[in-house]
Amino acid sequence: MPHKFPNDFLWGASISAHQTEGAYKSDGKGLTVQDTRVRDNHEIADFTIASDHYHHYKEDIQLLAELGVQIFRFSISWARIFPNGRGEVNQAGLDHYQDVINECLQHNIQPIITLNHFDLPQTLEEIGGWSNRETVDAFKDYAITVFKAYGQQVKYWLTINEPNVMLLVDQKILGKQIPIDEKYQQFHHLMIAEKYAFKLCHELVENGQIGPVPNISLVYPATSKPLDNQASLYFNSVRNWAYLDFSCFGRYNAVFSDYLKQKGVTITFAPGDEALMKENFPDFIAMNFYTTVTVEKPTDKNNMTEGISDQQSEDIMDWGFYKGVTNPYLKKNQFNWTIDPDGFKTTLQTLYDRYHLPIIITENGLGAKDDLTEDGKVHDPYRIDYLKQHIEQCLEAIEAGVDLFGYSPWSAIDLISVHEGISKRYGFIYVDRTEKELKQLARYKKDSFYWYQKLIQTNEIPPERR
Ligand code: BG6
């Protein structure tokens, strides 16, 4: 068998609305929790202009066509369609995404649309956000509106981006800490909203396919000590399986339920939730993957932070259950995130074994500081290395029997990182701005652009770097 990707494998590139669009108050858009979020570091770019993709979308899609992608993953900003989260529809918002979709299709690029990517309308946040059941109703109306508007043309849909990460690192993503009771009531509402999205997509979009889009990272035990293994069982469950078991099996995972019981958390179900959970399922799983996680069983309450020094581990501390530690076998990137291509393959295999659904990668990539040379080049061999190693593992996973049908890395164009500004760049396409200086926002193709272009053309991983 040739060591290459199947002919019908879908290559893509991904972005989200708030990290790229800017135009945060244009054409009737309402504010979102990302526009109002209190950020600890005011020296970094906010989302008001971002990469100005709202005004540059034609140029960006033209560049993606040149890159050769068959799919483009982007999200719709709910507050462009419903400035107040619900109620009156903003026609200008609907028209904007219609134009974006048309532009994609003219270039033979299929949109794959995320319904919501971290940017809940602010008006809904003011009634309690995902803690309030009314937000689920508002989400249903929003989903019906966009499925009806675009369902003729768009067949691939994603539900709510990374509810797992959103709740686990609430302070970083939402700018506030959510008390544990409320957090897991939000979990329930988010997952119920997702179930409605499955149901509505299947009812309203002819031949439509929809999947959940969590961030999945296998959790390793720090040692072979039985209690470290138990810590990884719990964190795997709380971080990964609780979400996907709900989406794919329609149930609360048993380890997760025990975690909630030990935490004294009780979740309120509304009439009909049980049936909804058990009757509506995804067509595929969209997986975002950056790194794996390593935990140990914490034994010293006064010393909970000792040994923690990587970005992911800092967020993992739950006395009695698990504590994140640095994995000594893995290298880290410039931003202190561990790099684990082998873990990527194992994560794919674990996911496929567990759920037996087709998988598409909708995020994977390297955040790094890039330099634009005077002659308009960006030499990013580090990004090519990262992508090469991870894409190689995708191919190995396919050869090992995983039904992986596409790869859409993060990110198409440079965007504003969730909490580290524009200096942490992910794109194949460089956007010329700094944290504070907008410059011309001109676009430049990085070396990784040409490398990925060649991969897409041949379905083989190019051996050389450019
Ligand atoms: C994912 C999010 O978790 O991680 C993206 O879906 C985000 O929105 C990406 O940009 C990388 O994280 P960061 O913090 O580097 O932007």
Side-chain angles (χ1 to χ4, degrees):
M1 205 167 79
H3 190 58
K4 62 190 286 196
F5 284 89
N7 288 339
D8 57 355
F9 192 78
L10 296 175
W11 296 105
S14 301
I15 58 165
S16 75
H18 75 279
Q19 292 173 273
T20 56
E21 286 179 355
Y24 80 119
K25 285 203 287 201
S26 302
D27 299 333
K29 176 180 168 292
L31 293 181
T32 76
V33 294
Q34 295 302 335
D35 299 318
T36 58
R37 180 174 121 196
V38 180
R39 319 183 95 209
D40 357 317
N41 184 352
H42 291 283
E43 295 312 306
I44 60 171
D46 59 23
F47 301 113
T48 55
I49 297 181
S51 307
D52 202 28
H53 175 64
Y54 189 77
H55 297 112
H56 286 250
Y57 74 89
K58 287 192 180 182
E59 180 186 354
D60 292 340
I61 293 169
Q62 167 66 47
L63 282 163
L64 291 178
E66 188 185 331
L67 181 60
V69 296
Q70 294 106 2
I71 51 171
F72 176 32
R73 175 197 175 205
F74 58 89
S75 69
I76 292 180
S77 171
W78 180 347
R80 279 196 203 284
I81 311 293
F82 287 98
N84 292 315
R86 54 187 172 174
E88 213 171 308
V89 174
N90 175 34
Q91 189 58 42
L94 274 181
D95 292 347
H96 172 70
Y97 291 107
Q98 186 59 66
D99 292 343
V100 173
I101 292 166
N102 290 345
E103 197 66 25
C104 288
L105 296 176
Q106 272 164 27
H107 286 93
N108 287 322
I109 297 173
Q110 288 187 64
I112 169 161
I113 298 184
T114 319
L115 290 170
N116 186 233
H117 192 125
F118 297 162
D119 54 351
L120 187 72
Q122 177 62 21
T123 323
L124 294 175
E125 178 65 13
E126 281 157 20
I127 60 158
W130 286 108
S131 301
N132 187 336
R133 183 77 192 198
E134 286 179 35
T135 297
V136 178
D137 297 331
F139 178 81
K140 265 162 66 182
D141 290 343
Y142 160 63
I144 291 171
T145 306
V146 296
F147 288 148
K148 282 189 175 164
Y150 312 126
Q152 292 278 350
Q153 293 167 295
V154 178
K155 299 301 170 188
Y156 285 117
W157 293 87
L158 307 175
T159 57
I160 298 169
N161 186 67
E162 299 186 355
N164 57 340
V165 170
M166 198 161 85
L167 295 182
L168 281 167
V169 291
D170 44 3
Q171 181 69 51
K172 281 185 182 166
I173 293 180
L174 304 173
K176 62 167 193 181
Q177 243 154 15
I178 312 167
I180 187 153
D181 280 53
E182 203 179 320
K183 184 176 295 209
Y184 287 107
Q185 190 61 47
Q186 289 201 4
F187 162 91
H188 185 74
H189 289 159
L190 280 157
M191 301 313 284
I192 288 292
E194 174 169 284
K195 288 283 176 181
Y196 277 117
F198 296 157
K199 181 173 162 37
L200 292 165
C201 179
H202 292 144
E203 285 170 3
L204 298 172
V205 180
E206 204 184 336
N207 299 322
Q209 295 203 29
I210 186 159
V213 55
N215 177 310
I216 300 297
S217 286
L218 274 197
V219 181
Y220 301 144
T223 69
S224 51
K225 283 185 210 157
L227 285 182
D228 286 348
N229 197 41
Q230 192 182 85
S232 86
L233 172 81
Y234 273 84
F235 195 55
N236 259 313
S237 192
V238 170
R239 191 197 187 287
N240 301 314
W241 312 138
Y243 293 81
L244 282 174
D245 285 0
F246 197 107
S247 306
C248 304
F249 299 145
R251 63 172 182 243
Y252 270 81
N253 169 300
V255 177
F256 177 59
S257 299
D258 178 58
Y259 172 83
L260 295 182
K261 193 172 101 194
Q262 292 197 49
K263 291 276 179 188
V265 174
T266 312
I267 287 169
T268 307
F269 279 53
D273 282 1
E274 200 80 47
L276 186 79
M277 282 163 68
K278 294 195 174 355
E279 285 163 14
N280 297 283
F281 297 103
D283 303 288
F284 59 87
I285 295 173
M287 165 177 147
N288 297 346
F289 177 93
Y290 291 89
T291 180
T292 49
V293 183
T294 304
V295 294
E296 66 181 19
K297 180 92 172 180
T299 46
D300 180 357
K301 201 170 185 173
N302 300 321
N303 210 358
M304 284 287 283
T305 54
E306 197 199 345
I308 292 174
S309 63
D310 75 40
Q311 180 73 45
Q312 284 77 35
S313 301
E314 280 167 21
D315 301 320
I316 305 164
M317 266 188 265
D318 200 336
W319 174 246
F321 292 93
Y322 36 73
K323 178 177 104 171
V325 295
T326 293
N327 187 323
Y329 302 103
L330 298 174
K331 291 196 183 125
K332 292 180 192 166
N333 71 16
Q334 251 178 341
F335 290 86
N336 225 7
W337 289 29
T338 51
I339 301 180
D340 186 4
D342 293 323
F344 189 26
K345 178 182 171 188
T346 318
T347 305
L348 281 164
Q349 288 180 295
T350 308
L351 208 65
Y352 191 59
D353 250 12
R354 202 173 164 107
Y355 301 107
H356 238 269
L357 281 172
I359 302 171
I360 180 168
I361 301 301
T362 42
E363 282 185 39
N364 174 232
L366 182 75
K369 293 183 178 162
D370 291 332
D371 292 314
L372 181 67
T373 61
E374 276 180 11
D375 58 347
K377 306 263 189 293
V378 178
H379 302 302
D380 57 347
Y382 35 88
R383 182 168 295 106
I384 295 175
D385 268 355
Y386 179 98
L387 292 169
K388 192 172 170 195
Q389 289 179 54
H390 285 78
I391 294 172
E392 177 61 39
Q393 294 306 316
C394 287
L395 192 47
E396 289 199 13
I398 293 172
E399 288 169 355
V402 174
D403 183 2
L404 179 68
F405 68 98
Y407 178 82
S408 185
W410 199 251
S411 53
I413 59 172
D414 283 342
L415 42 75
I416 313 296
S417 145
V418 167
H419 58 280
E420 285 167 302
I422 184 84
S423 306
K424 186 184 192 185
R425 295 171 181 271
Y426 284 90
F428 291 109
I429 297 160
Y430 185 90
V431 176
D432 191 19
R433 64 161 293 176
T434 65
E435 298 296 353
K436 290 290 164 196
E437 199 192 340
L438 285 172
K439 302 191 181 175
Q440 300 296 314
L441 290 151
R443 273 60 174 156
Y444 295 90
K445 292 169 254 180
K446 302 183 190 176
D447 286 359
S448 55
F449 179 100
Y450 296 104
W451 179 87
Y452 191 45
Q453 184 184 51
K454 190 156 183 201
L455 163 62
I456 296 172
Q457 281 163 2
T458 59
N459 277 334
E460 275 180 85
I461 301 171
E464 85 287 10
R465 295 180 198 162
R466 236 180 93 110

